[in-house]
Every structure is written in C-alpha cells, then in structure tokens.
Amino acid sequence: MITLMSFLVGGLYAAAIYMIMRRSIVKLVIGLVLLSNAANLLIFTSAGMTREAPPLIPVGAMAPEGVVADPLAQALILTAIVIGFGVLAFAVVLIHRAYEIVQADDMDQMKDTDT
Amino acid sequence: MQSPTLLALPIVIPLLAGALSLIYWRSRKAQRIIGVLGSTGLLIASGFLLEKIWREGTLVMHMGNWHAPFGIVLVGDMLAAFMVVMTGVSAVTTAFYALGSVSKQHEHFGFYPLMHLLLAGVNGAFLTGDVFNLYVWFEVMLVASFALLILGGERAQMEGAIKYVTLNLVSSAMFLSAIGLLYGLMGTLNMADIAMKIGELEDTAMITVVSMLFLMAFGIKAAAFPLFFWLPASYHTPRVAVSALFAGLLTKVGVYALFRFFTLIFPFEGTLSQSLMVWIAGLTMVTGVLGAAAQFEFRRILSFHIVSQIGYMLMGLALFTPLALAGGIYFIAHNIVAKSGLFLISGLVFRFKGSYELKELGGVYRQYPMLALLFLICAFSLAGLPPLSGFFAKFMVIRAGVEEYAWWLVATALAVGFMTLYSMVKIWAEVFWKEQEVCHIKPPRKFRGGTRVMYATVVMLAGLTIFMGLAMEPLFRMSMMAAEQLLDRNGYIEAVLGVTP
C-alpha cells in the first residue's frame, strides 16, 4: 500500500509541475489542482498507513485502547483541502477574468508587467 | 488585563474590524471609520503587548486551555511583538492614506474588509507557535492579498496576479509537503515540541530535506534570490495604498518565518544551509539592486529594491550572531517604514503629475518642495545615510559581518548600499529636479481633497524613520533582546511547554 501511495504522490507532483510549466493558463490551473492534491495525499501518508480502529476512548478510560489510527493527519488534510479548494476557486475566477481582459490563453502574451 | 488576552488582541481586533466593515458593506463612511479605528486600536494593543513582553519576557496563550503540545498555542516573544507593532504602524498609515487615495469604486469592492483580513493573517503568522497554524494564517493572508491585488481589474493587474497567485500556491504546496514530512518524522507540530525533539532524531538526511523544503517555501514568500521574479512583476500593479501595504508587510512575513524556523527548529550553526544562506543573501542584494538600476518606472524601481533589502535581512540571519540577528530584525522594522513611505510618495507624485514613468515626470521639486523633502528623507534612509534608521540597520548587519570575517558579504553589502543611493538619486534627478519636458500628461482627474491626509501619513513615516535613527539606544536594546531570545532555544521551549529540556 505504501509503495502504491508513494508512486501516486510522486506521479501527481510530476504531472503538476509539468502542467504548471505549460504556456496555457488553463493547464496552469490544472497543474495547481494536481499540486494541492499531491500535497494533501502526502500529509495523509505521513501518519503511516495503519488500518486500525478509530481513536475513540471507551467510557471511563483516559486513553484509547490498543493501536489506533492517527486522527491528526486527517484533521490536517481536512483543513488543507478546504483552504486549497477556496484558493483554487479564486484562481479559476482569476484566469477567467484574465482571459476576458487579455483575450488570450497564452502565458507568452502576458509579459507586460515583467521587467 | 490578563496577559493571554492581550496576546490574542492583535488578531482579534482586525478580524472584528473586518467583520464589522462587512456588515456595513453599503456605507462608505462607516467602513472608513472602522478602518481608522480598527487599525489605531491594533497599533495601541500591539504597543501594550510589546511593553508587557519587554517587562515580563515571553508570553504564551493556550487556546481553549488545552496545553501544549496537544493544544494550539499563541507565543509572543520579543521578535513577534516587534513585528506586530510594525504591522500596526503599517495598518495605521494604510488606513489613513486610503481615506484620501482609494476611490469609491474600490471601497465598494471591499478594500477595507480585505485590508483587515490581511492584517489578521499577518499578525496570526507572527504570533502562532504551531507549524500548521502558521500555514493557515499564511493562507488567510494570501487570499486577502490576492483579492487586494486585483481590485480594479486592469490588464496589468491580471497579468501580475497570475504570476503572484501561481508562485504563492506553489510555495504553499511546498510548505504543506514540508509540514507533512515533518509530522511524519516528529509526530508533533508544536514548534517548541519539535525543537526539543529534533536533536534526538537519527535521520539527519531527512531533516535536511525537510529544512530545504521550508527554505524554498519561505524563500518564495520572502522573495529571496532565485525565487523573486513574481515580486517585481506584480507589486507595482495595484493601487498605491495596496502596494505600500504589500511592500511593508508581505515579504517580511516570509523573512520572519525564516528567522523563526532557522533559529528554533533547524538551528543554522555550521550546517550546509548556513553557507547556502550566505550565498542567497549576497545574490539577493545584488540582483535586486541591479534590477532596480535598469528600471525607469517609479514603482518598479521600488519593487526591485524590496528584493535587494530582503538580502540584508537574510544576511543578518546567515551570519547567525546575536548582533547580526538584531541587525536583521531592526532592518525589517526600518524597511517597513522607509519602503512604505516611498511607495506612498510615488502615489502622491502620480496624483499630482499623472504618471509613474521617470521620463515623463519632472519639476516636482519646484511645485511641491515639501514632497521632495519627504522623498529625500525616505530615500536617504533606504540608502543608509546617517542619522536615519537605515544607517543603523546597515551598520549593525555590516559590523556583524566584519566580526565574523565575512568579507565578501560585507563588500557586497557596502557596494549594494552605493547602488541603492544611485537609483534613489536617479529618481530624485528625474522626478524632482529636472524640468518636465512633455506636458501632454494630465493628472488623472482634478483631485478632490484628501491630499492633506495623504501628506500626513507620509510625514508620519518620514518622522518615524528619523525617530528610529535618533532613538537608536532603546530600539537597539529591544532588537538585541529579540535576537538573544531567538538564540536561546531552551528559553522558548521552557516558556511554551513548561519543561526544561
């Protein structure tokens, strides 16, 4: 499982970087989507791929019994997904407006503000 | 007032002000009043916080009374308090300047709520003691800055914003990946807890990988050497009030994060990353100032100078002695004041003359001698002439370099200082001194009032940079204290976790 996940995460990063390097701004946004998902999956795997009980504490006990899955990593990606989704929504609207104003889908035609 | 409450105020006040100005979305007047009151309140609260930390040392607030390392903490040490006060200064100047300069249309699009949200994000990033929380505050700040950047929706803003948004999202993804790997290694995200446990870890190669990822992520945000190209492409596009706020605050958050991480979590002492940082600092200074020398647009020159000044701050971090760190911290404060002042002056020049191009401008000194004087003060401060704040900031960093025998870095810093003076003189000669040749440029429209309040903020910033030079002694002690706290990792861990490592 962990091997599969590492290939998946690595593949996502590679695809994301490739897409970001393209000239089209639509592909740029697709690249950003892939990148944020790659990072989220990386956090998910960081806690270890244990298939164990949920971390519930029985009535009267002070700590969970036996081996439990780490809930914190999942809490972290929950936050990261929400933030990433919001920011991407913004990016999609931004490229739409940029396309309307610049009338081009090409990064090479957006060099007016560069040095 | 209880100390932990005071620690939360710099975050709560802008959030509250932002929420209130959302409620009064339709009332321009109410939003302006809230803007001024909120930012003034922020400055006052941060002043009290600084005074309290000065007297009592590091303050810690456990959110919801869940104790670290399980709960989330806010930590206020001297560096954080210093930065929060500078945020307050920036907030006040922006809020007052906006009274005169931000048009009705921009206010209608939500300038004020976004400004408050940005301030809340910045202060949260300064005060948090938890790595993941730092990421969240970064994002709060970024989303607000994205929206502020495209306020108005001109073509240049769109083009600048695409680069700005892309690079910042890439940097956030790296930051997030680094957090994931760090959590996998350590099993905790509390900065003090990580700092305590990271020495015991055997897998030093993996620590280096994680620290490099953090270096990249914060390097992009701070606009350090190979990663700064988004900044001159985007910072000059929005309204001047927004540019000044960005120039003052946003890159400094990246620098702050570098200062925090590479003293507390991955201490530099004799590692590979220290020599890397020396190179980054030197090259950041040089490329920034050379880029500025090639430009002929007022705000672009200033944007490139942000990059070169970041190099001085990183030089303070790279040398890693108490004096160098103190110099870096003092430099951050000085730069926020001087750079915001210069951006605001460029806005006033635009209001009078209707252009930012040096070729088209001229004769401002004859018409507006007061503005020329203010420009001279801020520009000389940026170039580092005594007795202004920039001189002492550079002096501290360079002195630390001499003590460490880092001759190349010292030589670079001195040369870059001269180059800075050169481009400031260029602006002076072109904008203020020479006669205006082309007269077809008209001011955008007859300005209706508001100029006086814009002047007042610039006067305040210029006065502040003089004051920071004259009142060097207490500020020096303050930044030395901040630097010593940064180097005293055990003190930080003890303050947060309550255990002696």
Side-chain angles (χ1 to χ4, degrees), chain B residues 29-51:
Chain B
K29 201 172 165 194
Q31 288 205 10
R32 290 168 156 235
I33 294 171
I34 295 164
V36 168
L37 285 184
S39 50
T40 317
L42 173 61
L43 183 60
I44 293 170
S46 55
F48 276 116
L49 181 66
L50 182 70
E51 193 258 353

Side-chain angles (χ1 to χ4, degrees), chain B residues 125-325:
Chain B
F126 290 150
L127 287 173
T128 185
D130 182 282
V131 181
F132 194 77
N133 233 279
L134 183 67
Y135 166 76
V136 175
W137 287 120
F138 261 97
E139 294 301 310
V140 170
M141 175 185 98
L142 280 182
V143 171
S145 73
F146 293 163
L148 276 176
L149 190 66
I150 58 161
L151 216 60
E154 288 160 20
R155 177 179 173 144
Q157 287 182 310
M158 290 299 159
E159 294 186 9
I162 284 184
K163 285 148 206 164
Y164 180 79
V165 169
T166 309
L167 259 297
N168 273 298
L169 287 186
V170 169
S171 132
S172 292
M174 270 181 188
F175 189 11
L176 205 53
S177 316
I179 290 174
L181 292 175
L182 191 64
Y183 182 68
L185 278 177
M186 313 291 309
T188 172
L189 285 170
N190 184 288
M191 288 186 198
D193 205 23
I194 297 172
M196 190 166 71
K197 287 178 186 160
I198 204 154
E200 300 158 13
L201 223 63
E202 283 150 25
D203 194 358
T204 49
M206 199 61 198
I207 294 175
T208 313
V209 169
V210 175
S211 74
M212 283 300 123
L213 270 175
F214 277 119
L215 184 66
M216 285 276 276
F218 296 142
I220 291 177
K221 296 210 194 283
F225 163 60
L227 314 163
F228 64 83
F229 292 97
W230 56 270
L231 191 148
S234 62
Y235 265 28
H236 62 89
T237 55
R239 300 288 122 179
V240 169
V242 177
S243 281
L245 191 63
F246 281 17
L249 287 181
L250 290 191
T251 45
K252 276 44 165 207
V253 182
V255 176
Y256 166 83
L258 283 172
F259 267 72
R260 179 66 75 205
F261 270 65
F262 287 91
T263 54
L264 182 66
I265 298 179
F266 312 105
F268 256 163
E269 224 98 60
T271 56
L272 182 70
S273 32
Q274 188 177 13
S275 39
L276 186 65
M277 186 55 93
V278 170
W279 279 98
I280 292 175
L283 289 169
T284 310
M285 283 190 259
V286 173
T287 44
V289 89
L290 288 181
Q295 294 296 321
F296 283 94
E297 210 255 26
F298 205 147
R299 291 177 301 170
R300 277 192 204 183
I301 297 178
L302 295 181
S303 301
F304 270 104
H305 273 298
I306 300 176
V307 177
S308 92
Q309 311 279 311
I310 295 290
Y312 284 98
M313 299 166 204
L314 295 183
M315 180 178 163
L317 178 62
L319 293 168
F320 212 70
T321 58
L323 181 65
L325 284 171

Side-chain angles (χ1 to χ4, degrees), chain A residues 6-82:
Chain A
S6 21
F7 273 105
L8 180 63
V9 171
L12 273 176
Y13 270 106
I17 305 259
Y18 175 73
M19 291 303 260
I20 289 175
M21 302 276 186
R22 303 289 294 273
R23 270 165 60 181
S24 155
I25 48 176
V26 177
K27 285 170 186 156
L28 172 74
V29 169
I30 294 173
L32 292 177
V33 173
L34 293 178
L35 193 62
S36 83
N37 280 311
N40 290 343
L41 273 180
L42 183 71
I43 292 187
F44 183 66
T45 39
S46 72
M49 306 294 284
T50 40
R51 187 184 287 184
E52 294 294 343
L56 298 175
I57 302 172
V59 181
M62 286 301 285
E65 291 161 351
V67 184
V68 292
D70 185 351
L72 187 63
Q74 293 166 29
L76 295 184
I77 54 167
L78 188 59
T79 316
I81 287 171
V82 172

Side-chain angles (χ1 to χ4, degrees), chain B residues 260-429:
Chain B
R260 179 66 75 205
F261 270 65
F262 287 91
T263 54
L264 182 66
I265 298 179
F266 312 105
F268 256 163
E269 224 98 60
T271 56
L272 182 70
S273 32
Q274 188 177 13
S275 39
L276 186 65
M277 186 55 93
V278 170
W279 279 98
I280 292 175
L283 289 169
T284 310
M285 283 190 259
V286 173
T287 44
V289 89
L290 288 181
Q295 294 296 321
F296 283 94
E297 210 255 26
F298 205 147
R299 291 177 301 170
R300 277 192 204 183
I301 297 178
L302 295 181
S303 301
F304 270 104
H305 273 298
I306 300 176
V307 177
S308 92
Q309 311 279 311
I310 295 290
Y312 284 98
M313 299 166 204
L314 295 183
M315 180 178 163
L317 178 62
L319 293 168
F320 212 70
T321 58
L323 181 65
L325 284 171
I329 293 163
Y330 183 74
F331 205 106
I332 295 175
H334 142 72
N335 192 249
I336 289 175
V337 172
K339 182 62 76 182
S340 309
L342 284 170
F343 263 101
L344 297 182
I345 289 168
S346 80
L348 275 167
V349 169
F350 181 76
R351 164 164 283 210
F352 295 141
K353 290 291 185 181
S355 175
Y356 289 110
E357 294 292 333
L358 297 191
K359 297 278 178 215
E360 294 169 349
L361 289 165
V364 178
Y365 173 68
R366 180 175 296 226
Q367 284 173 288
Y368 306 99
M370 176 74 176
L371 190 61
L373 176 70
L374 290 172
F375 173 80
L376 267 193
I377 294 174
C378 289
F380 279 174
S381 177
L382 196 73
L385 297 186
L388 300 161
S389 58
F391 170 73
F392 293 103
K394 277 185 190 162
F395 178 73
M396 281 162 81
V397 179
I398 290 173
R399 171 78 195 270
V402 171
E403 280 174 6
E404 288 288 291
Y405 306 109
W407 298 116
W408 279 111
L409 210 52
V410 169
T412 316
L414 288 171
V416 170
F418 281 115
M419 292 287 285
T420 312
L421 190 59
Y422 159 73
S423 42
M424 288 300 135
V425 168
K426 183 169 84 179
I427 298 180
W428 168 259

